[in-house]
Amino acid sequence: MLTVCNFRESHSQSRKCPTDRVFVNRSLSLDTIKYYGFDMDYTLAEYKTPYMEAETAKYAFDWLIELGYPKELAETKFLPDFAVRGLIFDKKQGNFLKLDLHGLVLTACRGTRKLSRREIRDEYPTKFCKLFEKTADGENRFLQLFDTLFDTPKIFVVSICIDWLEKSPNYAKTESGYFDNSTSSLITYSTLWSDVRHAFEMVHFKGPLHNNIMKQPELFINRNPNLPKLLEYLQNSDRQVFLLTNSPYKFTDVVMKYLLDDLTGKKWTDYFDYIIVKACKPRFFNEGTPFRHINKTTGAANIGTHQADVMIQGEVYSGGNCDMFCHLTGAEGPDILYFGDHIYGDVVRSKKTNGWKTFLVVPELKHDLEVWTSETKLFERHHQLERQLGELQAAPGLGQDRTVIRKLDQERKTIVDEIDARYNPYFGSTFRKGGRLSCFANQMDKYADVYASTINNIINYSLSHQFWSPPKLLPHEATVAQQPE
């Protein structure tokens, strides 16, 4: 008889190396998937970390210096182990926060200084942050979410600017930012974020970063020898393969040539049945943008919208929306498995709005698994302490055990901090703190059907494979033993 216990046990004893596995939130049969779609940046194209982030931050500092920020920012050394995905910037109080799924603060930094538990309590007495208070234009009034891999250098740049303001003798700290008495000017945390956001927009749209990647892609992108094998495997198995990226055609063309043409001699466009650039996700999954045909010689979009009843293999299109794409290709939501790294732009909107099956690419998972599998004693002691605390709290005569409870709880907190430091010395794991999942992990659990550290891992499974999700146990199921028959 298959019980909850042995079901979970069978899942935990997979013969595959953990870093080669695909992990399952919702059961998924590959036999029903007819269309395989891929994002490009950080999905098909694996950027070299931390070089890519360091270069992006360097160009952003250059733009900030042009805005009037100090020249010393140009000398900043990038901290590759600082930022993690899924952080929130509090535009009122100037802290980067890792929250749990309920909006409670798990970890916080002001600049690159980690705040103590006491400091967090002082700044957030209830430890609660209101996640969804928005202005008329849809912006979050006080909080800014950083949930993409492109966001990690933004977190670093904002934090370094706060470090400078904290140390500068010219600026006095106020409730909402920093005041310069010599010029009677106030830099609020919200203004600082606006300046940094503008700098990164300039880097990505008018700066030299894209040009440098196009000139020397080998400096920025890891060439994946398994990519041609994966795409040919899918096509040879009568699956339709499409590319859906927000990048413009000229940039996409250079990157995909480097990844495929230079490796195999076969044109990269031949690996895909359908190609859409400048998709403007997540808008693509709602109203979308005008659907145009791209002239591959000039890289420009044709004037007017594309009116044909089909999409031609090898041709390139821009914009459009999900409904139009499904109409032209005959695809339906449950037929599609889409691979992407962007939790909101690739996964949340495609799942919520259109019912696509989703594969989230999580490169951070490799390091997370290394810590998870190597720090067994720490994790076991943490679980043991939580069990002891639970038993003591439930026992009669609680008063006499208060001292013991406080001692055990202090040890538990110390171990949680030790575990956090193994993952990341500033923010800990992307996915949790102790026994509490982060907001990012909750989004991943809710909207990604499956996830892995790289798209390569799908090669380890047949296209008729059935992914089974482990059971989601409620507290009364996880903590109450079942009676044997």
mmCIF file of all heavy atoms in Angstrom, residues 94-110:
data_model
loop_
_atom_site.group_PDB
_atom_site.id
_atom_site.type_symbol
_atom_site.label_atom_id
_atom_site.label_comp_id
_atom_site.label_asym_id
_atom_site.label_seq_id
_atom_site.Cartn_x
_atom_site.Cartn_y
_atom_site.Cartn_z
ATOM 1 N N GLY A 94 14.702 52.458 3.399
ATOM 2 C CA GLY A 94 16.019 52.268 2.798
ATOM 3 C C GLY A 94 16.676 50.933 3.049
ATOM 4 O O GLY A 94 17.909 50.827 2.977
ATOM 5 N N ASN A 95 15.893 49.893 3.314
ATOM 6 C CA ASN A 95 16.462 48.568 3.575
ATOM 7 C C ASN A 95 16.090 47.586 2.472
ATOM 8 O O ASN A 95 14.990 47.653 1.919
ATOM 9 C CB ASN A 95 15.928 48.021 4.910
ATOM 10 C CG ASN A 95 16.254 48.926 6.070
ATOM 11 O OD1 ASN A 95 17.373 49.409 6.203
ATOM 12 N ND2 ASN A 95 15.264 49.175 6.924
ATOM 13 N N PHE A 96 17.004 46.670 2.197
ATOM 14 C CA PHE A 96 16.668 45.514 1.367
ATOM 15 C C PHE A 96 16.203 44.397 2.291
ATOM 16 O O PHE A 96 16.856 44.082 3.296
ATOM 17 C CB PHE A 96 17.867 45.049 0.537
ATOM 18 C CG PHE A 96 17.992 45.785 -0.763
ATOM 19 C CD1 PHE A 96 18.934 46.786 -0.925
ATOM 20 C CD2 PHE A 96 17.142 45.494 -1.824
ATOM 21 C CE1 PHE A 96 19.044 47.477 -2.123
ATOM 22 C CE2 PHE A 96 17.240 46.175 -3.030
ATOM 23 C CZ PHE A 96 18.187 47.169 -3.176
ATOM 24 N N LEU A 97 15.065 43.795 1.937
ATOM 25 C CA LEU A 97 14.420 42.817 2.803
ATOM 26 C C LEU A 97 14.214 41.496 2.078
ATOM 27 O O LEU A 97 13.872 41.469 0.891
ATOM 28 C CB LEU A 97 13.043 43.329 3.256
ATOM 29 C CG LEU A 97 12.965 44.762 3.802
ATOM 30 C CD1 LEU A 97 11.509 45.146 4.007
ATOM 31 C CD2 LEU A 97 13.752 44.890 5.095
ATOM 32 N N LYS A 98 14.413 40.422 2.802
ATOM 33 C CA LYS A 98 13.925 39.118 2.339
ATOM 34 C C LYS A 98 12.698 38.810 3.182
ATOM 35 O O LYS A 98 12.780 38.753 4.417
ATOM 36 C CB LYS A 98 14.987 38.025 2.498
ATOM 37 C CG LYS A 98 14.533 36.680 1.940
ATOM 38 C CD LYS A 98 15.656 35.653 1.910
ATOM 39 C CE LYS A 98 15.882 35.036 3.262
ATOM 40 N NZ LYS A 98 16.872 33.937 3.226
ATOM 41 N N LEU A 99 11.565 38.646 2.512
ATOM 42 C CA LEU A 99 10.293 38.429 3.204
ATOM 43 C C LEU A 99 9.833 36.993 3.051
ATOM 44 O O LEU A 99 10.210 36.294 2.110
ATOM 45 C CB LEU A 99 9.217 39.359 2.632
ATOM 46 C CG LEU A 99 9.514 40.862 2.600
ATOM 47 C CD1 LEU A 99 8.331 41.613 2.009
ATOM 48 C CD2 LEU A 99 9.845 41.386 3.986
ATOM 49 N N ASP A 100 8.968 36.566 3.982
ATOM 50 C CA ASP A 100 8.315 35.275 3.793
ATOM 51 C C ASP A 100 7.033 35.483 2.988
ATOM 52 O O ASP A 100 6.712 36.604 2.566
ATOM 53 C CB ASP A 100 8.065 34.559 5.128
ATOM 54 C CG ASP A 100 6.954 35.187 5.953
ATOM 55 O OD1 ASP A 100 6.292 36.144 5.483
ATOM 56 O OD2 ASP A 100 6.728 34.723 7.088
ATOM 57 N N LEU A 101 6.278 34.420 2.752
ATOM 58 C CA LEU A 101 5.115 34.518 1.882
ATOM 59 C C LEU A 101 4.005 35.380 2.462
ATOM 60 O O LEU A 101 3.098 35.800 1.747
ATOM 61 C CB LEU A 101 4.561 33.129 1.565
ATOM 62 C CG LEU A 101 3.913 32.328 2.702
ATOM 63 C CD1 LEU A 101 3.014 31.243 2.081
ATOM 64 C CD2 LEU A 101 4.929 31.676 3.599
ATOM 65 N N HIS A 102 4.069 35.689 3.768
ATOM 66 C CA HIS A 102 3.054 36.530 4.397
ATOM 67 C C HIS A 102 3.482 37.996 4.497
ATOM 68 O O HIS A 102 2.743 38.813 5.051
ATOM 69 C CB HIS A 102 2.728 35.998 5.795
ATOM 70 C CG HIS A 102 2.282 34.578 5.807
ATOM 71 N ND1 HIS A 102 1.114 34.149 5.206
ATOM 72 C CD2 HIS A 102 2.872 33.456 6.322
ATOM 73 C CE1 HIS A 102 0.989 32.845 5.369
ATOM 74 N NE2 HIS A 102 2.032 32.400 6.035
ATOM 75 N N GLY A 103 4.681 38.324 4.013
ATOM 76 C CA GLY A 103 5.165 39.695 4.093
ATOM 77 C C GLY A 103 5.911 39.998 5.377
ATOM 78 O O GLY A 103 6.134 41.170 5.701
ATOM 79 N N LEU A 104 6.309 38.975 6.116
ATOM 80 C CA LEU A 104 7.082 39.173 7.344
ATOM 81 C C LEU A 104 8.575 39.160 7.025
ATOM 82 O O LEU A 104 9.040 38.354 6.211
ATOM 83 C CB LEU A 104 6.754 38.086 8.366
ATOM 84 C CG LEU A 104 5.291 38.024 8.825
ATOM 85 C CD1 LEU A 104 5.085 36.857 9.772
ATOM 86 C CD2 LEU A 104 4.876 39.330 9.502
ATOM 87 N N VAL A 105 9.327 40.051 7.684
ATOM 88 C CA VAL A 105 10.753 40.212 7.391
ATOM 89 C C VAL A 105 11.545 39.030 7.946
ATOM 90 O O VAL A 105 11.474 38.714 9.136
ATOM 91 C CB VAL A 105 11.287 41.524 7.997
ATOM 92 C CG1 VAL A 105 12.778 41.673 7.697
ATOM 93 C CG2 VAL A 105 10.522 42.720 7.456
ATOM 94 N N LEU A 106 12.318 38.380 7.066
ATOM 95 C CA LEU A 106 13.202 37.292 7.473
ATOM 96 C C LEU A 106 14.623 37.793 7.706
ATOM 97 O O LEU A 106 15.274 37.421 8.679
ATOM 98 C CB LEU A 106 13.219 36.192 6.404
ATOM 99 C CG LEU A 106 11.899 35.491 6.111
ATOM 100 C CD1 LEU A 106 12.056 34.519 4.950
ATOM 101 C CD2 LEU A 106 11.389 34.759 7.348
ATOM 102 N N THR A 107 15.117 38.621 6.771
ATOM 103 C CA THR A 107 16.475 39.144 6.816
ATOM 104 C C THR A 107 16.457 40.537 6.219
ATOM 105 O O THR A 107 15.627 40.831 5.352
ATOM 106 C CB THR A 107 17.439 38.249 6.002
ATOM 107 O OG1 THR A 107 17.273 36.884 6.408
ATOM 108 C CG2 THR A 107 18.888 38.640 6.192
ATOM 109 N N ALA A 108 17.390 41.396 6.653
ATOM 110 C CA ALA A 108 17.427 42.766 6.126
ATOM 111 C C ALA A 108 18.847 43.294 6.114
ATOM 112 O O ALA A 108 19.677 42.931 6.953
ATOM 113 C CB ALA A 108 16.527 43.679 6.968
ATOM 114 N N CYS A 109 19.130 44.163 5.135
ATOM 115 C CA CYS A 109 20.400 44.884 5.053
ATOM 116 C C CYS A 109 20.125 46.350 4.758
ATOM 117 O O CYS A 109 19.229 46.667 3.962
ATOM 118 C CB CYS A 109 21.283 44.334 3.944
ATOM 119 S SG CYS A 109 22.156 42.795 4.333
ATOM 120 N N ARG A 110 20.905 47.242 5.402
ATOM 121 C CA ARG A 110 20.938 48.640 4.965
ATOM 122 C C ARG A 110 22.290 48.847 4.318
ATOM 123 O O ARG A 110 23.330 48.703 4.964
ATOM 124 C CB ARG A 110 20.763 49.623 6.119
ATOM 125 C CG ARG A 110 20.949 51.074 5.634
ATOM 126 C CD ARG A 110 20.582 52.115 6.658
ATOM 127 N NE ARG A 110 19.155 52.076 6.931
ATOM 128 C CZ ARG A 110 18.640 51.798 8.127
ATOM 129 N NH1 ARG A 110 19.428 51.537 9.144
ATOM 130 N NH2 ARG A 110 17.335 51.782 8.300
#
